[in-house]
Amino acid sequence: MSGYARRGVHGQTVEAIAHRVLGGRIGEGDTLDLGALQSELGVSLTVLRESLKVLAAKGMVDARQKRGTFVRPRSDWHFLDADVLRWQFETAEGPAGADHPLLRDLGEVRGIVEPAAVRLAAERRTDADLAALDEAIAAMTSASAVGDEAVDADLAFHRALLAASHNEMLERMEMVIATGLAFRDRLVHASGHRPQDPVPSHSVVLDAVRSRDADAAETAMRALLQQSARDLEEIRRTATG
């Protein structure tokens, strides 16, 4: 999912520049001072230029004769790119991240996509889909309440549900949902807030999918998403309290 996370000097340079742009240190329309960036990041001009090509491919920067390399308007950025999504979330770590506008957007997207996907999953799931979902529940059960194991198990469950819809476009939504969900899960776990045991609510969704009960599956998914929203609201109250 993360194409350039901590992959040597090149990957670190891509991420360092991306964080400066997404965090507002380099604004839309600003021309990049390549010499200053090279000195600040301690990289060669070749590494810097190759890194900027990556960001150009993601719609974030461009280059013109006489103007140099500049940040493109936000409307041009490839927001559904997994790296771009992850970098945006990484600029808002800590309790204040619960107010990140992308988390609101993520909640709305999940509310549209996942209840519809789980209805299709209930109608189309295969034995292989159920095995993947069972495996995710087992991982969720054995994982500690906090930490990467719990995050990974949650992501595996939601990926498996999207896959069980057997709709290729819905499956592609995994990139958006998983990136935001990983941030949301880590935010909840790092906040000290103790969320409810996720196994029962996820198991209700799985039981409905297993029974091919589309209405029950949708209802269970909406209940799960409502609990997710309550967890974030609790963190917001704590952070502003």
Side-chain angles (χ1 to χ4, degrees), residues 16-237:
I17 300 171
H19 288 161
R20 284 162 173 74
V21 173
L22 291 163
R25 290 175 57 186
I26 305 175
E28 296 175 58
D30 285 356
T31 298
L32 279 64
D33 185 334
L34 300 190
L37 270 176
Q38 183 184 356
S39 176
E40 180 183 352
L41 299 176
V43 297
S44 69
L45 187 57
T46 298
V47 168
L48 183 60
R49 285 175 172 165
E50 289 300 312
S51 299
L52 290 171
K53 287 180 182 178
V54 173
L55 298 179
K58 296 178 184 295
M60 295 177 64
V61 302
D62 202 352
R64 293 285 186 273
Q65 285 187 347
K66 298 184 179 180
R67 181 175 179 181
T69 302
F70 61 94
V71 178
R72 295 175 65 176
R74 187 178 176 88
S75 58
D76 291 341
W77 301 352
H78 300 173
F79 274 107
L80 296 186
D81 180 278
D83 287 316
V84 177
L85 283 168
R86 178 174 54 82
W87 292 333
Q88 289 182 88
F89 284 121
E90 287 174 350
T91 63
E93 294 180 343
D99 279 326
H100 198 301
L102 275 183
L103 278 180
R104 178 206 62 203
D105 293 348
L106 172 68
E108 292 174 352
V109 168
R110 292 186 69 194
I112 295 168
V113 170
E114 292 197 89
V118 81
R119 289 190 68 89
L120 292 177
E123 297 166 358
R124 301 174 178 174
R125 94 297 185 277
T126 64
D127 289 344
D129 294 323
L130 292 178
L133 289 163
D134 282 330
E135 184 176 345
I137 289 289
M140 201 177 293
T141 302
S142 62
S144 62
V146 297
D148 287 343
E149 288 184 357
V151 173
D152 290 345
D154 192 27
L155 295 182
F157 182 86
H158 290 274
R159 286 194 186 103
L161 272 181
L162 290 174
S165 73
H166 294 278
N167 178 304
E168 194 169 9
M169 290 188 179
L170 280 175
E171 288 182 56
R172 293 297 186 271
M173 291 301 297
E174 175 269 338
M175 178 180 66
V176 176
I177 290 175
T179 301
L181 186 57
F183 174 81
R184 177 263 174 207
D185 284 353
R186 291 189 175 95
L187 181 67
V188 170
H189 295 160
S191 71
H193 170 64
R194 305 294 293 185
Q196 289 184 0
D197 180 358
V199 174
S201 58
H202 287 71
S203 295
V204 172
V205 174
L206 174 52
D207 289 344
V209 169
R210 195 188 310 276
S211 300
R212 298 191 185 277
D213 189 335
D215 289 338
E218 179 180 351
T219 297
M221 176 55 71
R222 291 194 183 281
L224 191 158
L225 294 176
Q226 288 167 4
Q227 182 57 53
S228 176
R230 286 193 291 270
D231 288 337
L232 284 178
E233 183 56 34
E234 179 62 30
I235 295 172
R236 291 189 190 102
R237 284 199 298 267

